[in-house]
């Protein structure tokens, strides 16, 4: 992650020195990375849904934590570009986090939260 950040910082620095076409290319690359990352989060929700169907709450929490970490890595740039969508996504993560914090969560509540989260992530994909 640190190498990626250093590399992106260097590219952005060079883009500022070399003109707008490089800056546009960097922007396009960052957008593609964001789209790929968001699509990965959407895809990972299927694993969580399966764990919920199997009432495997330990696995559900572990998979949710991974998806939440992925969202946290994307959150700041998404908030800058799409504050309303980012706020809705964060609200869904907060809702799911609270639902999963009890010893025996409600399957229906978690499924509904996952469905709403998927809808918000798809809205973000469409906005990108």
């Amino acid at each position: 992650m640190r190498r990626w950040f250093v590399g992106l910082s260097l590219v952005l620095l060079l883009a500022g020195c070399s003109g707008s076409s490089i800056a546009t290319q960097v922007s396009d690359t960052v957008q593609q990375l964001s789209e790929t990352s968001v699509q990965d989060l959407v895809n990972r929700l299927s694993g969580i849904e399966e764990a919920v169907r199997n009432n495997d709450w330990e696995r559900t929490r572990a998979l949710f934590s991974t998806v939440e970490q992925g969202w946290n890595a994307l959150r700041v740039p998404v908030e800058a570009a799409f504050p309303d969508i980012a706020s809705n996504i964060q609200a869904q993560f907060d809702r799911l986090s609270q639902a999963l914090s009890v010893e025996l969560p409600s399957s229906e509540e978690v499924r509904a939260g996952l469905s709403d989260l998927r809808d918000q992530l798809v809205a973000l994909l469409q906005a990108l």
Side-chain angles (χ1 to χ4, degrees):
M1 182 72 170
R2 183 176 176 193
R3 287 183 188 161
W4 181 84
F5 179 74
V6 171
L8 182 60
S9 298
L10 181 60
V11 170
L12 290 173
L13 177 65
L14 292 173
C17 298
S18 301
S20 65
S21 67
I22 293 176
T24 301
Q25 290 173 351
V26 169
S27 175
D28 291 346
T29 301
V30 169
Q31 180 178 353
Q32 289 171 349
L33 288 172
S34 295
E35 288 174 3
T36 302
S37 298
V38 172
Q39 185 62 56
D40 181 56
L41 294 179
V42 170
N43 294 342
R44 289 177 184 229
L45 292 180
S46 298
I48 299 173
E49 291 164 340
E50 180 183 337
V52 170
R53 277 191 301 275
N54 295 330
N55 289 318
D56 186 345
W57 297 112
E58 186 176 324
R59 184 165 182 250
T60 298
R61 288 181 185 97
L63 292 170
F64 176 75
S65 177
T66 301
V67 172
E68 190 171 34
Q69 289 171 6
W71 164 246
N72 286 334
L74 294 172
R75 192 170 79 191
V76 171
V78 171
E79 284 175 341
F82 308 103
D84 291 341
I85 294 173
S87 176
N88 292 339
I89 291 171
Q90 187 58 51
Q92 293 307 318
F93 272 105
D94 293 345
R95 177 179 162 201
L96 280 164
S97 183
Q98 184 169 357
L100 291 169
S101 69
V102 298
E103 187 175 335
L104 189 58
S106 162
S107 295
E108 289 179 21
E109 185 178 354
V110 174
R111 275 193 224 114
L114 289 170
S115 177
D116 291 344
L117 178 57
R118 181 184 302 280
D119 291 346
Q120 293 301 319
L121 291 171
V122 168
L124 175 57
L125 275 173
Q126 292 170 346
L128 289 171

